[in-house]
Amino acid sequence: MKILENLNEKQREAVLKTEGPVMAIAGAGSGKTSVLTRRIAHLIFDKSIPYQNILAITFTNKAANEMKERVETLTGIYAKDMWISTFHSMCSRILRKHIEQLGYKKTFQIIDDQDTEQLIKSLLKKNNYDIKMFNPRQLKSLILKTKANPDYLEGIEEPVKSVVKEITSKYTNYLFESNLVDFDDLLLLTIRLFKENTQLKKYYNDLFKYVLVDEFQDTNNVQYTLVKELVGAHNNLFIVGDEDQSIYAFRGANIENINKFKKDFPDYHIILLEQNYRSTNVILQAANSVIKNNRSRIEKSLYSTKKDGEKITYYKGVTARDEVEYIATTIRKKVRKGYDYNDFAILYRSNATSRQFEEVFMQKQIPYRIKGNTSFFKRKEIKDFTAYLRFIINPNDVFSFMRIVRVPRRGIGQKTIEKLIDYAAENDLLLDEAINSSENCLSTRRSNKLKDFSHLIETFKEDLSNLSFNEFVDQVLDKSGYVTMLKKDDKGDVRYENLMEFKSYLAENETLYKKLDKEEMLVYILEDVSLKSEETAEDIEDAVSLMTLHSAKGLEFKEVFLVTVEMNMFPLGRSMSDPREIEEERRLMYVGMTRAKDKLYITNANMRQTWGETRHNLDSPFFLEIPKEYIEEEGYNKLISRSTQPKVNANSKRKTFLNKRKSNLDDYEENDLNKGDKVSHAKFGDGVVISIVGDQCVIAFKKPHGIKKLMKNHPSIKKK
């Protein structure tokens, strides 16, 4: 294969410009991996550079393996012998040879993030610190930042500052004495080696005559320092990046590293890779119109050799449910026309958004997979909270009791629980009876703690009857201590958002089951949750991809739905006061738009349940940055939105739209099925309804069909 074959002019320039510092600004879908691998092949074959003298660094094992495979195909050289790896793998390889110079043994072991957290927790306890006051997970983040930059300590307030200072020292000493290193040490110790041993530094500078760094916009300060240490006097540093796709500030990525590069290597050569091989011109021009509003960027404009393609479809629903139903219906129509489910991706800003999509897709039997996260109904905080609800309804539910009695911690240990369960079994007692008489098997102090918990659950049961679902949920989360626990968790914000989305789910169902009393209502809702949580999206070959915008980086799909594109949802409300955060949110919008190859949909809703309350959000300012000529409108916005219409006419059309939707919902309930009803099915024959959950029913049919989950208004089902 010819090395320069099928490359465009700018790509060829990036491959051939081998000497000195070079910065290739690679726009989305511009073929940067092809440029990197062809450049390596060119150095080996055309420049006669030994492969040992070339270092290529990237961020993930997946990206490193892809580069190795491509280089091996191009050169025929066994890629495992090459220096193509992640930052951490490269440093580990260097340290295995030289770490003894720092007093460690070559047999050092690497501990992961979970091990780090457990070690810090152990050190806190050993030094008599209350881990409820000084959360190990939060301390871990501060300790690692202090290790990387001792000056960081000065920005921490007391009393946390003193704890971080002490535990950082003890943690570092423990690792050294135990011949252990954490992930941060891999980089920091390599830098230390080079700074303390100039001869060793020169050896690696001479070895790595050409250094290539992928995804440079995602480097943090330590990684940038390491790259500078690796590059010798030859200055043959080739960086590939795109500040328009810098979306990992929360992980420490520093977009300013591109500016540092310009300052540290003033004779750099810049190449703009603007030709996109993924998307249509309409999608790219719209994306360009959005991202150009960011100030901290190198100006470029993506273009494609593909046709203009279809316009971007903008759909606004009356409600969030309309938005989800529209997407589900659109996907089903296209699948009937020959599309695969794999062709579609739904991208959202917040993990909690997946809930309604999962719910509707289950109902409509659309296969889906959640990328980079757990299915909504299987997330820990949702399972914890539903366990609370189950135990409130049934105080003898041992399984739910076991899950929640120590979440959050209440001074009730595992041995106490085991003694209680054994006592109940030996004396043939129900759980609540065992708790009420637990002084017979436990100390007074432990017995009282269990009785306090039981009393707390009783007050929740009263709240269920007397309060709205919104107020009831708030009471449970607050009085149980769950919210306080989340505040001490570095992932607490995301988990809290998921719980607030679950609160919205309960509020929706309160309307659906309004004829029932609260306890009956909760029984049906929990049954619905159980059915949903049983669904699995694992190992599905053909499925719609659901993921956050962060998870979508580096991926592409034939058709993309960019959803909840409205104020407070995307961008997030908390980002509005910080210009840097707004620019990062806009980069997320740009990344999302440029995942689409052939068709992009942007959707939102006129009103939605957010945290259990109905809110009317304005269209996202990012959407308003897209010129109208690239947009075609559908849904509620087509009646009301951008075009100026007389107010009376708009209200009249909205009323017609809502009436039509209500009529459809009325038709939807034509099968008035109840649990225990006998039915007949056109294909499966006679059966009995064993459960009704929302729009679905679970029916037990005779052999060989067995239990089936069906839409209850399906025309094939007839009530007998």
Side-chain angles (χ1 to χ4, degrees), residues 466-479:
N466 300 328
L467 303 175
S468 71
F469 258 147
N470 270 355
E471 295 169 318
F472 165 68
V473 170
D474 290 338
Q475 287 292 310
V476 175
L477 290 174
D478 182 33
K479 290 182 180 178

Side-chain angles (χ1 to χ4, degrees), residues 331-374:
I331 289 172
R332 291 182 72 179
K333 284 179 180 177
K334 294 210 165 186
V335 168
R336 284 197 292 269
K337 291 180 179 178
Y339 282 74
D340 294 328
Y341 288 112
N342 282 335
D343 292 332
F344 304 98
I346 296 168
L347 309 183
Y348 36 79
R349 179 64 183 88
S350 170
N351 268 313
T353 305
S354 75
R355 192 268 300 176
Q356 279 199 328
F357 286 97
E358 293 185 62
E359 190 179 348
V360 170
F361 282 16
M362 287 178 203
Q363 290 174 356
K364 296 186 179 297
Q365 298 182 338
I366 296 174
Y368 68 89
R369 64 173 69 89
I370 306 283
K371 178 177 173 54
N373 213 306
T374 309

Side-chain angles (χ1 to χ4, degrees), residues 29-143:
S30 61
K32 68 178 179 63
T33 304
S34 183
V35 166
L36 281 163
T37 52
R38 303 284 187 98
R39 184 180 174 92
I40 293 171
H42 169 65
L43 286 169
I44 294 170
F45 279 140
D46 300 335
K47 301 279 290 184
S48 300
I49 304 298
Y51 69 82
Q52 298 92 336
N53 296 142
I54 302 168
L55 170 66
I57 315 171
T58 187
F59 274 83
T60 66
N61 288 316
K62 180 182 176 183
N65 290 334
E66 183 182 353
M67 283 178 64
K68 286 178 182 178
E69 288 172 7
R70 291 207 199 183
V71 170
E72 193 169 300
T73 300
L74 286 166
T75 65
I77 299 170
Y78 186 41
K80 191 174 181 181
D81 295 333
M82 296 185 182
W83 284 86
I84 300 175
S85 68
T86 63
F87 276 97
H88 291 110
S89 295
M90 174 198 67
C91 290
S92 178
R93 188 171 170 182
I94 292 172
L95 290 174
R96 285 290 171 204
K97 292 183 178 180
H98 309 289
I99 199 169
E100 288 177 316
Q101 295 182 28
L102 299 176
Y104 290 79
K105 297 175 184 175
K106 283 187 178 181
T107 55
F108 71 87
Q109 296 298 304
I110 303 167
I111 63 171
D112 63 19
D113 287 340
Q114 286 186 337
D115 295 331
T116 296
E117 186 178 328
Q118 286 303 311
L119 176 53
I120 289 170
K121 182 177 180 180
S122 173
L123 290 170
L124 285 167
K125 287 182 175 180
K126 187 176 180 180
N127 289 276
N128 300 315
Y129 287 112
D130 184 353
I131 61 172
K132 292 181 180 177
M133 181 178 295
F134 301 102
N135 182 275
R137 186 171 293 177
Q138 292 177 333
L139 261 291
K140 180 189 80 170
S141 175
L142 297 175
I143 287 167

Side-chain angles (χ1 to χ4, degrees), residues 217-230:
Q217 79 281 347
D218 292 335
T219 54
N220 60 31
N221 293 335
V222 173
Q223 289 161 339
Y224 182 82
T225 300
L226 180 59
V227 169
K228 277 196 67 182
E229 291 292 325
L230 288 166

